[in-house]
Amino acid sequence: MSSKLFKQTLFDHLARVGKAVGQGHRLAMLEYLAQGERTVEALAGLTGLSVANTSKHLQQLRQSGLVFARKEGLYVHYRLSDPDVITLLGVIRRLAERHLGEVEALVNSYLLAKDAMEPLPREALLARMREGTVTVLDVRPPEEYAAGHLPRAFNIPLKELERRLHELPPGREVVAYCRGAYCVLSFEAVAWLREKGFIARRLEEGFPEWKLAAFPVENFLMEEIS
Amino acid sequence: MSSKLFKQTLFDHLARVGKAVGQGHRLAMLEYLAQGERTVEALAGLTGLSVANTSKHLQQLRQSGLVFARKEGLYVHYRLSDPDVITLLGVIRRLAERHLGEVEALVNSYLLAKDAMEPLPREALLARMREGTVTVLDVRPPEEYAAGHLPRAFNIPLKELERRLHELPPGREVVAYCRGAYCVLSFEAVAWLREKGFIARRLEEGFPEWKLAAFPVENFLMEEIS
DNA sequence: TTTATATTCAACTATCAAGTTGAATTCAAT
DNA sequence: ATTGAATTCAACTTGATAGTTGAATATAAA
């Protein structure tokens, strides 16, 4: 086999990974899977696609090596094959944010000015957690919280925030996080908390990235094989 | 704009980056561009594609934000827009190596057993360079060497290795590197050096990754704006 | 065994991407 | 101005991909 042919077939194989992340719906699925295992039906619901279509996309993801499937009874559970898939999504996001004007514009217009939420990098939050000078707030649904969350984080889903506001220690800065850099929940939580007089800001990225960076995590259920 | 629509348009934009790396020839071009600026003509020659086709691919890469173009006289010079593009290529490569059986098989069959070359990680090489217990050998063409190389590396392109073997200090371990993890030159250099009785191994990845990691680099020409 | 349910498969349509070819631009040099 | 060379554009062919629909599988429970 010639060097040229080798190179080309090699790159053609690598391109299968690229193709897999070359479609919006598949990226959305990967982002949901970054939270934990999901069945076909669940993903179809989350993405709004037909079950058959969802199934077909998941098989492409499987053939490109990005996800694994596990059958349990009637259900097939899909999960990320490798934590580096989260790295991949992160690099794509950063590149798009930096070089695709539309993305920056879209994010800033929809997310009420991304930077106004004073996003805090992981390392900084960890330091402040160790000092004990900050309240960490997880605004994801309880199932996702149960599958893993930041140490000593409060779990108050966005909808319940008003009702359960008294649970938060008053007078301490709050750092909210949820699923990822673009997860709307934490933006709204911060905006709302500020209205109520809290000092609040966002964690820059979400739980998957925190866990990927091998930062400390608490588990209640063992849904995840960390 | 609804959250669902926001998410979908956002992911559709991110998918443009994915699409860009979802085609073998474009991946090959990015890998060449990781070495430095190239004109359309040069890339067409390197990839074996027609100039028109090459030009079209490059424009896709530009629209996805991965490369910039600079016109100088008759020539248009393309270059990577962001060092993170090298990160992106690396993540794709690692994922494909770990999860696409074909890739592992292909690499191992063509590259005379990848692991037999005892690939040395960057950090280990740097440590040994500081100890002064190793000869670093750059087997790329002189132009690429001139645009940047590891400190105190010898530059002997593969073809001249036999003739210029005497330049290498005898009895010292040699670590060869070239353009990247799959760059054939360094594999052949190591195999050949071993035949001649040298203790030789490969740097795990290539020059672009070394530079990306902010490891020390020497420049003779200032072709690169590091 | 029958029934119900989650998933996958097969066939089909419509849209999009890769590649070719020849013409159109653009810029430098005569 | 005219020529020559590098690049891009436009039109076209061919093949691939996303999505729908209805049937086929596979598993658990009745």
Side-chain angles (χ1 to χ4, degrees):
Chain A
M1 183 189 262
S2 79
S3 158
K4 214 153 213 170
L5 182 57
F6 164 71
K7 251 188 178 157
Q8 196 187 307
T9 46
L10 179 66
F11 280 126
D12 285 348
H13 283 299
L14 300 191
R16 287 165 51 195
V17 176
K19 276 197 224 302
V21 292
Q23 217 269 4
H25 293 306
R26 282 196 293 269
L27 283 177
M29 288 180 195
L30 290 174
E31 172 130 321
Y32 289 121
L33 290 173
Q35 310 300 318
E37 268 193 0
R38 295 284 133 94
T39 66
V40 179
E41 216 185 8
L43 284 166
L46 288 164
T47 54
L49 301 180
S50 74
V51 172
N53 194 8
T54 305
S55 168
K56 215 161 48 169
H57 280 302
L58 285 167
Q59 291 187 48
Q60 280 182 261
L61 289 174
R62 201 171 48 172
Q63 277 166 19
S64 64
L66 299 186
V67 308
F68 288 151
R70 171 176 72 81
K71 185 152 191 177
E72 191 181 304
L74 282 180
Y75 297 84
V76 177
H77 300 257
Y78 282 87
R79 68 178 189 283
L80 297 188
S81 65
D82 194 308
D84 257 357
V85 175
I86 296 169
T87 312
L88 177 63
L89 295 178
V91 177
I92 292 176
R93 183 174 51 69
R94 278 201 304 281
L95 284 169
E97 247 177 38
R98 290 203 284 256
H99 301 289
L100 258 36
E102 302 93 318
V103 170
E104 213 194 341
L106 183 68
V107 167
N108 276 325
S109 71
Y110 184 71
L111 296 179
L112 329 161
K114 187 167 176 273
D115 293 339
M117 299 299 165
E118 300 174 87
L120 195 63
R122 282 193 289 279
E123 295 77 10
L125 176 56
L126 187 60
R128 306 244 351 231
M129 283 163 68
R130 289 193 165 133
E131 286 171 10
T133 58
V134 75
T135 301
V136 181
L137 175 63
D138 184 325
V139 291
R140 295 176 302 162
E143 314 86 71
E144 296 181 19
Y145 176 84
H149 52 261
L150 305 215
R152 280 191 294 285
F154 288 74
N155 177 225
I156 309 184
L158 191 58
K159 286 184 180 175
E160 303 175 19
L161 195 51
E162 179 153 20
R163 189 160 53 75
R164 297 173 52 188
L165 198 58
H166 59 89
E167 296 178 25
L168 293 176
R172 253 168 52 133
E173 182 168 344
V174 178
V175 174
Y177 74 90
C178 59
R179 297 196 261 245
Y182 300 138
C183 179
V184 189
L185 303 173
S186 66
F187 284 87
E188 298 191 350
V190 169
W192 197 85
L193 285 170
R194 286 182 178 180
E195 257 180 46
K196 297 297 165 187
F198 279 81
I199 297 174
R201 45 200 301 203
R202 261 175 47 85
L203 174 61
E204 195 170 46
E205 297 181 308
F207 179 72
E209 291 86 359
W210 178 279
K211 191 177 162 197
L212 174 66
F215 277 36
V217 165
E218 274 177 12
N219 274 62
F220 287 166
L221 296 179
M222 285 305 285
E223 188 200 303
E224 293 283 318
I225 345 132
S226 121
Chain B
M1 182 189 261
S2 79
S3 159
K4 212 150 214 170
L5 181 57
F6 163 71
K7 251 188 177 157
Q8 196 188 307
T9 45
L10 178 66
F11 280 126
D12 285 347
H13 283 299
L14 300 190
R16 287 164 53 193
V17 175
K19 274 197 225 306
V21 291
Q23 218 269 4
H25 293 306
R26 282 195 293 269
L27 283 176
M29 289 181 194
L30 289 174
E31 171 129 323
Y32 290 120
L33 290 173
Q35 309 300 318
E37 269 193 359
R38 294 285 133 93
T39 65
V40 179
E41 218 184 7
L43 284 167
L46 288 165
T47 55
L49 300 180
S50 74
V51 172
N53 195 6
T54 305
S55 168
K56 213 162 50 167
H57 279 302
L58 285 168
Q59 290 187 48
Q60 280 181 261
L61 289 174
R62 200 170 48 170
Q63 277 166 18
S64 63
L66 299 185
V67 309
F68 288 151
R70 172 176 73 81
K71 186 152 193 177
E72 191 181 304
L74 281 181
Y75 296 84
V76 177
H77 299 257
Y78 283 87
R79 67 177 190 283
L80 297 188
S81 65
D82 194 308
D84 257 356
V85 175
I86 294 170
T87 312
L88 177 63
L89 295 177
V91 177
I92 291 176
R93 184 175 51 69
R94 278 201 303 282
L95 284 169
E97 247 177 38
R98 291 204 283 256
H99 301 289
L100 258 35
E102 301 93 318
V103 170
E104 214 194 341
L106 183 68
V107 167
N108 275 326
S109 72
Y110 184 71
L111 297 179
L112 328 161
K114 186 167 176 273
D115 293 338
M117 300 298 165
E118 300 174 86
L120 195 63
R122 282 194 289 279
E123 295 77 9
L125 176 55
L126 187 61
R128 305 244 353 230
M129 284 163 68
R130 290 193 165 134
E131 286 171 11
T133 58
V134 74
T135 301
V136 181
L137 175 63
D138 184 325
V139 290
R140 297 175 301 161
E143 315 87 71
E144 295 180 18
Y145 176 84
H149 51 259
L150 305 216
R152 281 190 294 285
F154 288 75
N155 177 225
I156 309 184
L158 190 58
K159 285 184 181 175
E160 304 175 20
L161 195 51
E162 179 153 21
R163 188 160 54 76
R164 297 172 52 189
L165 198 58
H166 57 90
E167 296 179 25
L168 292 177
R172 253 166 55 131
E173 182 170 343
V174 177
V175 175
Y177 73 90
C178 58
R179 297 196 261 244
Y182 300 137
C183 179
V184 189
L185 304 174
S186 65
F187 283 87
E188 299 192 349
V190 169
W192 196 84
L193 286 170
R194 286 183 178 178
E195 257 178 47
K196 297 296 165 188
F198 279 81
I199 297 174
R201 46 200 300 204
R202 261 175 46 85
L203 174 62
E204 195 171 46
E205 297 181 308
F207 179 72
E209 292 85 0
W210 177 280
K211 191 177 162 196
L212 174 66
F215 277 35
V217 164
E218 274 177 13
N219 274 63
F220 287 165
L221 296 178
M222 285 304 285
E223 188 200 302
E224 293 282 319
I225 346 131
S226 121

